Amino acid sequence: MENEIRDFILYLHEEKKTSVNTELSYKRDLQKLQSFLSGQGIEDVGRITETSLNSYVLYLEKNQFAPATVSRHIAAVKAFFHFMLKKGMVSEDVTERLKAPKIEKKAPEVLTVEEAARLLEQPGKDAPKDIRDKAMLELLYATGIRVSELISLKLSDLNLRLGYIICRDGMKERAVPFGNKAKEALTLYLKEAREQLTKGNEGDTLFVNCSGKPMSRQGFWKLIKIYARKAGIEADITPHTLRHSFAAHLVENGADLHSVQEMMGHSDISSTQVYANRNGNQLRNVYQRTHPRSR
């Protein structure tokens, strides 16, 4: 099965042009399946049956994997078998009747506009590190990009004059605009802080740590936790909270879903729809609380 997984990942990379993160996710999930089947004495893909796959799903559920995680594993297995069937590696698709558990879509955790403003005001104004942090937070909230996209940005991806960045996910790229606050923070960072942090080393990475190397996800995660505490925000926020807040605040102020979808880089409009649903629920709650004939 190891060879088939390798061929599948190569197919995703070369033909489907998927992102590195997607490929790693598929690989991890399929290797977990391989390990489980090996424990059942199944080494050959031709011996995998509907029953053995159902046993695997049951194993995941018994080990208390979240429904979303189980669904992701099932999606990986289905994609893997579709590939093998297409390439003639198997004669039938035994995943056809494999069903994913029902997942309740939770409303995304978002900050209020006031909380977002408090968070963005936390970094200091003088130290290079603080100036960098301010620029990163402002850009994240201004664009709604993923933290992985934020730390991967190159100087060449930034157009300060026109106010947009280029984000890349695998072979796909999108242009995302940003406003004056982010532009001011980025201008200050490039003018007064970045060179001190890079210590004169050449490189195209936009945001660097205090050693002059690219910022890490973990490093930025810690920063946002510290600033959230300083801002008096009680919710356990993550970098993704700013992404959700960006989208929610746009929708609340009348942005159309297709524009938000494009800026967020969502491949499916249903992923963006949750922000409209959230907005609708808020309006309904306000109506029920305040209209004299709502009860």
Side-chain angles (χ1 to χ4, degrees):
M1 190 171 167
E2 192 175 325
N3 291 336
E4 287 84 0
I5 292 175
R6 187 187 62 240
D7 291 344
F8 173 58
I9 300 303
L10 193 63
Y11 160 79
L12 290 177
H13 184 75
E14 294 187 347
E15 293 190 36
K16 292 294 185 180
K17 310 297 183 188
T18 50
S19 68
V20 174
N21 285 341
T22 299
E23 290 158 17
L24 288 173
S25 176
Y26 273 119
K27 188 176 181 181
R28 279 194 302 268
D29 291 350
L30 291 172
Q31 284 175 337
K32 185 175 279 294
L33 171 66
Q34 180 186 10
S35 176
F36 172 82
L37 293 174
S38 181
Q40 307 292 309
I42 301 171
E43 303 285 350
D44 191 292
V45 291
R47 292 187 57 214
I48 301 174
T49 64
E50 186 178 323
T51 302
S52 56
L53 290 178
N54 278 323
S55 297
Y56 176 60
V57 172
L58 192 60
Y59 156 79
L60 293 174
E61 290 173 343
K62 278 188 173 179
N63 281 273
Q64 301 190 337
F65 282 82
T69 305
V70 175
S71 291
R72 194 195 68 222
H73 278 267
I74 290 173
V77 173
K78 281 180 173 286
F80 180 51
F81 266 86
H82 290 168
F83 160 75
M84 290 196 294
L85 191 64
K86 180 180 177 181
K87 299 295 183 182
M89 297 176 182
V90 292
S91 57
E92 62 173 327
D93 183 2
V94 295
T95 70
E96 205 166 0
R97 290 190 291 183
L98 206 59
K99 285 191 170 37
K102 192 173 180 182
I103 303 172
E104 267 187 51
K105 276 202 172 181
K106 293 182 181 176
E109 188 77 38
V110 303
L111 301 174
T112 64
V113 174
E114 293 75 17
E115 285 174 331
R118 284 209 315 272
L119 178 69
L120 298 181
E121 289 304 315
Q122 293 313 305
K125 296 180 173 29
D126 300 318
K129 174 187 171 299
D130 292 340
I131 294 171
R132 177 207 63 196
D133 294 350
K134 170 75 169 173
M136 292 184 82
L137 288 172
E138 287 283 1
L139 188 61
L140 197 63
Y141 179 59
T143 58
I145 59 176
R146 302 170 181 91
V147 68
S148 57
E149 294 171 330
L150 179 75
I151 62 175
S152 300
L153 285 172
K154 307 294 183 190
L155 286 169
S156 51
D157 295 327
L158 173 66
N159 190 319
L160 263 182
R161 187 174 65 84
L162 296 180
Y164 72 86
I165 52 171
I166 298 294
C167 280
R168 295 179 177 81
D169 181 12
M171 298 298 288
K172 299 174 187 174
E173 66 175 47
R174 67 189 192 281
V176 188
F178 56 80
N180 285 333
K181 291 288 186 185
K183 184 174 183 177
E184 288 168 11
L186 284 163
T187 301
L188 187 65
Y189 167 66
L190 292 173
K191 186 179 176 183
E192 298 189 12
R194 186 177 177 276
E195 191 174 342
Q196 292 186 58
L197 291 170
T198 59
K199 299 173 173 56
N201 295 327
E202 291 294 324
D204 194 31
T205 303
L206 178 57
F207 295 113
V208 296
N209 61 23
C210 294
S211 303
K213 296 177 181 177
M215 285 286 295
S216 67
R217 289 170 61 93
Q218 293 84 356
F220 187 72
W221 186 288
K222 288 176 185 174
L223 287 178
I224 205 166
K225 297 281 187 188
I226 291 167
Y227 289 130
R229 279 199 302 273
K230 285 184 177 179
I233 297 169
E234 294 181 5
D236 184 24
I237 75 167
T238 70
H240 223 65
T241 308
L242 272 181
R243 177 169 161 82
H244 288 317
S245 301
F246 158 83
H249 296 166
L250 281 178
V251 172
E252 284 169 15
N253 284 287
D256 70 276
L257 285 183
H258 286 287
S259 297
V260 177
Q261 176 192 7
E262 191 173 336
M263 285 185 275
M264 297 281 280
H266 287 157
S267 56
D268 191 328
I269 191 70
S270 65
S271 298
T272 320
Q273 187 71 43
V274 295
Y275 302 107
N277 294 343
R278 177 184 176 278
N279 196 36
N281 290 336
Q282 279 188 322
L283 292 174
R284 194 157 40 247
N285 291 338
V286 168
Y287 178 85
Q288 288 172 348
R289 281 199 321 270
T290 57
H291 195 281
R293 300 181 72 84
S294 65
R295 297 179 185 83

